[in-house]
Amino acid sequence: MAPERGRHAWPGRPGLTAFARSDLTLGVGMALGTALSYAFSLVVSRSLGPAGFGAFSAVIGFGLLGSIPAGALQVVVARRVVMRAPHAQAPVLAGMVGGGLLVAMTVLSPVLERVLHLPSVWPAVALGALLVPMTLTGVYQGLLLGRRRLGALAVLYVVTSLGRLLAGVAAALFGLSITELLFATVVMGALAAAWGGWVTRSDGQAVTGGSLLELGLEVLRSSWTLSSLIALTSVDVVLARHYLSRQASGEYALAALFGKVVFWGTQFVALVVVPRVTHDSGRRAVRPAVVAVAGLGLAVTAVLLPSPRWWVVAVGGPDYANAAGLAVAFSVVGTGWALLQVVLFGQMGRNRVGISGAVWTATVVELVLCVGWLHHSAAEVLASVGLAAVLALASGAVVATRGGPRPLLDDGA
């Protein structure tokens, strides 16, 4: 299919680069969802304590790798909706991938129990079960994004985050263990997926045709690109859990939230770039997105800088006070991650994977530095993270600006 066929599938003026009101609606919804996620982290960090929260964060950090297909499906489905390319088999593919992830996590559970110092294999199994509805929800998010139903997409993000928060509140009220908390999030994740299926029921008449294999290969390409970003931004929590003490790993995980508040909080900016850059006229949308993300990141750092200890204690309690020295540095690193996210999503919107090599290289550098030398303290682990972030952003920007155009859909659809 020639790209021109779907040129007007994304409403708006050709060449529009400024954020529309509906984009800001999505931003508000995702900001609320992020706030609910942080409330979840606050509740869980206090109910589990530093040692338990460190283990929980390590499991979730590993789970982020498993969530890559969900993010890739969201981008691929949105892109195909805009281009009016076949996407009706996306839920089938999501079910197959989610089931495969559950089996893989079950098989790996004994290894994760030892590496992450978990109480049993069941937290890893619960994580695998959570990835099933999460992957399916990625399809529904892609449908809403591609059809520019950004209000409904914002609600879906809020519903998903609210479900997690309710699971965390239940854990605090009833003294649930890490395993029980994770299975509670599975139930809430299934409810969120059901909500997504309900709000997208009118999209059941998706463009048919195309093969499941072609769709799978496109998702695989986008997964490879997205996986580089997820690995870069999550592997440090897993390494901290392995190398640092139980207490120190929990403090590190809490400090990392101040980097993720920029990374997650600005994700809506990267998402609205995807459908815009699908057309040649929308490629300039990356520039204002970069400016917006940089401004938001600087604002978070400016808020933290006068009294980071107050913010750390307010979020996690006095048991996490030692993490205050890391919070500001993490907000700076998180801004770098967020800028990289905009560039990378812009590449994914154009069905390009060139930047992933640069990000994967930076991730390998981070692993080598941390495993080889920088793992004796939380500050050393963070140093390896910061160096990798700078390398990824610099090299990724060079690759993105030098890369030539590529067909948006090269699977023959």
Side-chain angles (χ1 to χ4, degrees):
M1 184 194 79
E4 287 75 9
R5 280 179 55 187
R7 184 166 297 279
H8 298 293
W10 180 259
R13 300 190 307 273
L16 180 65
T17 58
F19 294 112
R21 181 178 302 175
S22 56
D23 298 337
L24 297 180
T25 299
L26 177 60
V28 171
M30 292 189 70
L32 180 56
T34 299
L36 292 172
S37 295
Y38 273 91
F40 168 74
S41 297
L42 186 152
V43 171
V44 172
S45 64
R46 290 174 181 265
S47 64
L48 296 180
F53 184 62
F56 179 80
S57 298
V59 172
I60 294 300
F62 189 86
L64 287 174
L65 299 176
S67 70
I68 289 169
L73 276 164
Q74 180 179 5
V75 173
V76 169
V77 170
R79 185 171 63 217
R80 281 179 168 248
V81 168
V82 172
M83 303 303 299
R84 297 177 184 172
H87 58 275
Q89 298 192 73
V92 177
L93 179 62
M96 295 171 59
V97 173
L101 289 170
L102 172 57
V103 171
M105 292 301 299
T106 302
V107 171
L108 290 174
S109 58
V111 177
L112 294 178
E113 178 189 6
R114 291 192 298 272
V115 173
L116 302 181
H117 312 295
L118 303 178
S120 68
V121 299
W122 288 108
V125 175
L127 174 63
L130 177 61
L131 294 175
V132 177
M134 185 183 298
T135 305
L136 188 58
T137 301
V139 174
Y140 302 139
Q141 291 170 338
L143 287 171
L144 295 173
L145 179 62
R147 298 198 183 281
R148 201 173 175 77
R149 296 179 58 193
L150 301 187
L153 178 57
V155 172
L156 180 54
Y157 276 112
V158 172
V159 167
T160 303
S161 299
L162 181 60
R164 280 197 298 266
L165 177 58
L166 291 176
V169 170
L173 290 177
F174 301 107
L176 302 184
S177 66
I178 295 174
T179 302
E180 292 167 335
L181 170 59
L182 283 167
F183 274 113
T185 62
V186 173
V187 174
M188 292 303 177
L191 292 176
W195 174 264
W198 172 255
V199 298
T200 58
R201 66 192 185 283
S202 60
D203 295 309
Q205 314 218 344
V207 179
T208 58
S211 74
L212 189 63
L213 177 60
E214 290 171 344
L215 179 62
L217 289 175
E218 190 175 345
V219 171
L220 184 62
R221 285 197 299 271
S222 290
S223 294
W224 174 251
T225 304
L226 186 59
S227 65
S228 63
L229 180 66
I230 297 299
L232 181 72
T233 58
S234 61
V235 71
D236 61 308
V237 175
V238 178
L239 292 170
R241 178 64 183 177
H242 181 70
Y243 285 111
L244 304 180
S245 67
R246 305 287 197 275
Q247 174 78 19
S249 70
E251 294 168 353
Y252 184 94
L254 188 86
L257 292 177
F258 291 93
K260 296 297 174 61
V261 74
V262 183
F263 180 61
W264 291 333
T266 60
Q267 191 177 64
F268 81 97
V269 181
L271 280 176
V272 298
V273 162
V274 171
R276 291 181 181 275
V277 300
T278 299
H279 308 311
D280 291 345
S281 59
R283 291 177 183 176
R284 289 174 295 173
V286 173
R287 297 173 187 170
V290 166
V291 173
V293 166
L296 291 170
L298 288 174
V300 171
T301 301
V303 169
L304 286 175
L305 198 55
S307 184
R309 188 179 189 280
W310 185 89
W311 285 101
V312 168
V313 173
V315 172
D319 290 340
Y320 295 88
N322 290 336
L326 304 175
V328 174
F330 256 117
S331 71
V332 176
V333 170
T335 301
W337 288 342
L339 291 170
L340 182 64
Q341 181 173 233
V342 170
V343 177
L344 186 139
F345 270 63
Q347 295 285 290
M348 291 172 66
R350 296 168 63 187
N351 200 22
R352 293 171 56 184
V353 298
I355 191 176
S356 60
V359 183
W360 272 118
T361 299
T363 304
V364 171
V365 170
E366 179 180 330
L367 286 169
V368 170
L369 288 174
C370 189
V371 173
W373 300 279
L374 302 177
H375 59 249
H376 300 98
S377 68
E380 288 189 358
V381 176
L382 180 54
S384 68
V385 174
L387 290 171
V390 171
L391 176 61
L393 185 58
S395 57
V398 170
V399 172
T401 54
R402 289 186 177 180
R406 170 178 178 158
L408 297 174
L409 291 173
D410 55 346
D411 58 10

